[in-house]
Amino acid sequence: MDVKEEIKRRRTFAIISHPDAGKTTLTEKLLLFGGAIQVAGAVKSNKIKHSTTSDFMEIEKQRGISVATSVMGFEYNNLKINILDTPGHQDFAEDTFRTLTAVDSVIVVIDVAKGVETQTEKLVEVCRRRDTPVIVFINKLDREGKDGFALLDEIELKLKIKVRPLSWPIGMGPDFKGVYSMYKKELILFNPHGKQEDEDIIRITDLDDDELEKRVGERLANELREEVNMVEEIYDPFEKEKYLTGQLSPVFFGSAINNFGVKELLDCFTDIAPYPQPLPAEEREIDPFEKKFTGFVFKIHANIDPNHRNRIAFVRICSGLFERNKNYFHIRSGKKLKFSSPTSFMASKKEVVDAAYPGDIVGLHDSGKFRIGDTLSEGEQLHFKGIPSFSPELFKYIENADPMKSKQLAKGIDQLMDEGVAQLFTQVTNNRRIIGTVGALQFEVIQYRLKHEYGASCQYTPVNLNKACWLSSENESDLQEFVKKKQRHIALDKHGNTVFLAESAWMLKMAQEDFPKVNFHFTSEF
Ligand code: G4P
């Protein structure tokens, strides 16, 4: 198979949801269909179940699990499907945002009873910004939940996406009889706690067919007819083009735990989901079919064994063929690097690969050279875009608690920031270092990892900060004037960019009003 065909048969996507909606369960069922795993329970939930901030064993376990399940590749219908895993805990949301830069589409899982939850809103917002195609799976139909139409309204309103149901549930909870697939014009009957068999699928091209009554009873048959009519009236017909440009999201209903509606979802996904798409770099857009290799690091994972402080950098291949033992150019350092044991991920197995194609993810051993967002190429100066840092919300001063280990502390902080665990800001007036995070858990993780991996001790001191934002201006002199006036509130981020540290929302508002020529940004990329 040539490179072009290999690219066209790749589907790289992520499943996203609010914790507990059923992401892990759905992932597992998809892997079962793909034959990548044989038994249920093989994919461990990578979430920290109870969000205690001191359960370090949980954190370590989670890190161990998430290396194994970072990417799960499997073959299905002659397609190579790569599922990129995202952390379940909301304190690690930034990891998820970054993973979303490495996928071509997503499946959003929504709990039928809970509807759209906060984390789903945030994640879909990131997808919307990138026009990522979205398929929605409404899960847990074996339980009582919200009315289908009300739920679709809620999705359109809160997620700000247009939807088009391609399946419709027949009953719900104890009454749940199955779904009617409008995509395939098939009735699929629910067989609780059993395996969905081929005989559970009845082809009904005309919903007026008496067969429907026989299968689900008169009341539910009439309800289904009425509701499917309503769907046809309310929603525009499904158009693949609109889905591919992120303008329309097909919706499926099912029950992941019962493996119900999952095959229909997967079959539609393989029909419509995009193969690797062009990705934007600062210099130009990179087409996957270009001959020369390019890729970027979207995730770095430290080894959980402190004796082997190697890290794995996860690289999304964007164009060309990636080959083992070939020299590639690491743009940030200007150095040539060669990788003797790049790994690929099939199910939860890692193996060394000789070649990888656009859409694939390879794991590269890293002794500390890589940073999130780094680009690799065959020589061209390129910088992939869309991997911003987000304005953190929690801040603490970080100080050395063991003067004998200041070198270790500096190195530890440096590497943890490269991994994207948190952000470091250095105040310009006094050189004090501030750690900014999106979740409280990261402070504990940093302290723990500095101790266990670098032998360094740190302590935190509270700092009264509400927001950090990046600055820009048309005129350098306007920016300089602002920096001079607000010096006490100015810091540099890890890359030397100027950041304004606002103590309160009011202070930020005043600064914006007083300095209209200065732009305040809430992500590092603008
Ligand atoms: P997550 O990764 O999105 O956080 O969710 P996960 O798959 O871990 O599922 C969360 C809980 O919801 C699990 O129960 C899981 O068994 C259950 N679940 C998933 N799909 C369905 C479904 O279709 N119907 C019903 N009724 N439940 C479903 P748990 O009790 O939290 O965990 P476990 O002890 O079962 O693992």
Side-chain angles (χ1 to χ4, degrees):
M1 212 180 289
D2 68 6
V3 177
K4 211 167 161 183
E5 279 173 56
E6 285 289 355
I7 298 173
K8 285 198 166 168
R9 71 182 203 96
R10 270 156 174 81
R11 302 288 181 274
T12 301
F13 78 109
I15 303 179
I16 54 177
S17 75
H18 191 88
D20 271 345
K23 178 172 70 76
T24 311
T25 313
L26 180 63
T27 306
E28 180 170 286
K29 302 300 173 187
L30 292 176
L31 293 176
L32 278 168
F33 275 114
I37 53 170
Q38 268 66 47
V39 286
V43 179
K44 294 283 177 294
S45 169
N46 80 355
K47 69 191 156 187
I48 300 166
K49 282 260 178 187
H50 312 286
S51 54
T52 53
T53 50
S54 53
D55 195 346
F56 297 119
M57 279 323 288
E58 256 332 300
I59 295 171
E60 287 301 278
K61 248 195 277 167
Q62 135 116 14
R63 293 179 53 223
I65 291 164
S66 60
V67 162
T69 61
S70 280
V71 186
M72 288 159 282
F74 65 94
E75 295 271 340
Y76 184 77
N77 280 353
N78 201 28
L79 295 176
K80 163 88 189 295
I81 298 180
N82 295 314
I83 306 182
L84 271 54
D85 195 24
T86 54
H89 198 286
Q90 62 184 22
D91 283 6
F92 295 94
E94 223 176 323
D95 266 11
T96 306
F97 296 152
R98 288 189 290 252
T99 298
L100 292 179
T101 64
V103 301
D104 298 298
S105 69
V106 301
I107 293 179
V108 178
V109 185
I110 291 173
D111 182 323
V112 68
K114 293 194 179 141
V116 175
E117 297 172 88
T118 49
Q119 197 61 11
T120 321
E121 276 183 67
K122 285 192 198 161
L123 295 171
V124 173
E125 193 188 320
V126 176
C127 296
R128 255 195 350 259
R129 234 183 278 156
R130 304 171 58 84
D131 295 326
T132 309
V134 171
I135 298 181
V136 177
F137 182 73
I138 298 179
N139 190 26
K140 307 196 185 180
L141 263 290
D142 58 317
R143 287 205 188 148
E144 285 298 345
K146 298 187 180 186
D147 163 72
F149 288 105
L151 201 50
L152 295 178
D153 283 351
E154 186 181 332
I155 294 172
E156 289 204 331
L157 193 75
K158 288 195 179 162
L159 299 183
K160 301 184 189 76
I161 53 175
K162 275 193 78 169
V163 297
R164 195 337 166 164
L166 286 185
S167 80
W168 197 255
I170 306 163
M172 196 185 279
D175 229 10
F176 184 50
K177 292 281 183 292
V179 293
Y180 176 66
S181 164
M182 300 162 193
Y183 184 64
K184 288 206 171 155
K185 303 231 176 314
E186 278 173 355
L187 181 72
I188 302 129
L189 297 178
F190 179 53
N191 181 2
H193 309 297
K195 207 168 157 265
Q196 192 187 324
E197 305 286 354
D198 282 348
E199 53 265 33
D200 296 335
I201 296 175
I202 296 125
R203 276 200 74 82
I204 293 190
T205 43
D206 180 2
L207 274 184
D208 288 330
D209 195 329
D210 291 346
E211 190 65 22
L212 190 60
E213 267 84 358
K214 279 190 212 144
R215 300 287 177 167
V216 302
E218 197 178 322
R219 182 178 62 83
L220 287 174
N222 286 332
E223 227 174 78
L224 177 69
R225 288 184 186 116
E226 214 174 283
E227 289 178 345
V228 168
N229 272 338
M230 273 170 75
V231 168
E232 306 291 351
E233 273 171 30
I234 299 174
Y235 297 96
D236 294 339
F238 176 68
E239 283 175 57
K240 187 173 162 183
E241 269 318 302
K242 285 193 174 165
Y243 156 73
L244 289 175
T245 49
Q247 295 173 58
L248 186 66
S249 297
V251 179
F252 287 84
F253 291 83
S255 168
I257 194 100
N258 291 297
N259 206 2
F260 187 79
V262 178
K263 185 164 188 301
E264 289 64 39
L265 174 74
L266 180 60
D267 285 341
C268 178
F269 171 84
T270 53
D271 281 353
I272 66 172
Y275 55 75
Q277 294 296 299
L279 288 165
E282 271 166 32
E283 295 77 2
R284 62 185 187 86
E285 193 171 75
I286 314 298
D287 192 89
F289 296 99
E290 288 179 22
K291 285 251 158 17
K292 290 194 171 160
F293 160 76
T294 62
F296 68 88
V297 178
F298 65 94
K299 174 175 177 149
I300 293 177
H301 219 298
N303 199 323
I304 48 173
D305 178 356
N307 297 323
H308 300 92
R309 215 192 293 142
N310 273 347
R311 309 191 295 181
I312 301 177
F314 290 83
V315 173
R316 148 101 193 201
I317 317 275
C318 301
S319 67
L321 181 67
F322 172 88
E323 289 173 274
R324 188 160 80 96
N325 281 330
K326 197 168 161 182
N327 273 314
Y328 292 118
F329 191 58
H330 179 233
I331 310 279
R332 190 168 51 80
S333 67
K335 287 195 179 123
K336 283 198 167 159
L337 301 175
K338 196 154 79 170
F339 306 98
S340 59
S341 52
T343 43
S344 84
F345 307 84
M346 287 300 279
S348 50
K349 274 207 260 353
K350 274 197 323 181
E351 55 189 20
V352 172
V353 284
D354 289 324
Y357 300 89
D360 283 341
I361 310 299
V362 286
L364 304 177
H365 282 285
D366 170 34
S367 50
K369 288 185 211 74
F370 285 121
R371 186 185 282 174
I372 298 237
D374 278 358
T375 301
L376 289 172
S377 79
E378 291 194 22
E380 188 179 347
Q381 283 287 338
L382 289 172
H383 300 83
F384 279 99
K385 286 203 296 194
I387 315 157
S389 299
F390 290 82
S391 194
E393 284 161 18
L394 303 168
F395 301 88
K396 282 179 187 180
Y397 280 122
I398 184 165
E399 272 138 17
N400 191 0
D402 180 353
M404 304 296 287
K405 298 281 169 64
S406 60
K407 247 189 180 162
Q408 286 87 334
L409 184 76
K411 184 171 181 190
I413 293 179
D414 197 47
Q415 294 205 340
L416 293 183
M417 298 306 124
D418 280 352
E419 269 180 47
V421 176
Q423 293 176 63
L424 182 73
F425 303 105
T426 310
Q427 286 186 307
V428 293
T429 46
N430 54 14
N431 273 333
R432 284 186 84 178
R433 289 174 296 182
I434 294 172
I435 296 279
T437 70
V438 286
L441 199 54
Q442 268 93 341
F443 289 110
E444 316 273 337
V445 172
I446 291 168
Q447 199 163 34
Y448 179 84
R449 289 190 53 193
L450 284 172
K451 180 113 207 119
H452 288 81
E453 292 169 34
Y454 299 90
S457 299
C458 76
Q459 66 194 26
Y460 296 115
T461 318
V463 51
N464 179 26
L465 281 181
N466 174 266
K467 203 87 193 157
C469 36
W470 287 266
L471 302 169
S472 74
S473 179
E474 296 274 305
N475 247 329
E476 186 56 29
S477 57
D478 291 326
L479 193 60
Q480 285 316 321
E481 193 199 329
F482 178 80
V483 167
K484 215 167 125 196
K485 287 238 166 81
K486 299 277 177 193
Q487 212 168 32
R488 242 170 26 86
H489 307 283
I490 298 293
L492 298 180
D493 74 4
K494 192 165 186 291
H495 311 289
N497 300 314
T498 312
V499 174
F500 175 56
L501 303 173
E503 283 169 9
S504 63
W506 181 81
M507 180 178 169
L508 177 60
K509 191 165 159 271
M510 291 308 290
Q512 283 169 318
E513 279 175 19
D514 292 347
F515 294 86
K517 288 184 180 157
V518 174
N519 304 314
F520 297 76
H521 306 277
F522 298 97
T523 69
S524 65
E525 215 172 62
F526 38 82

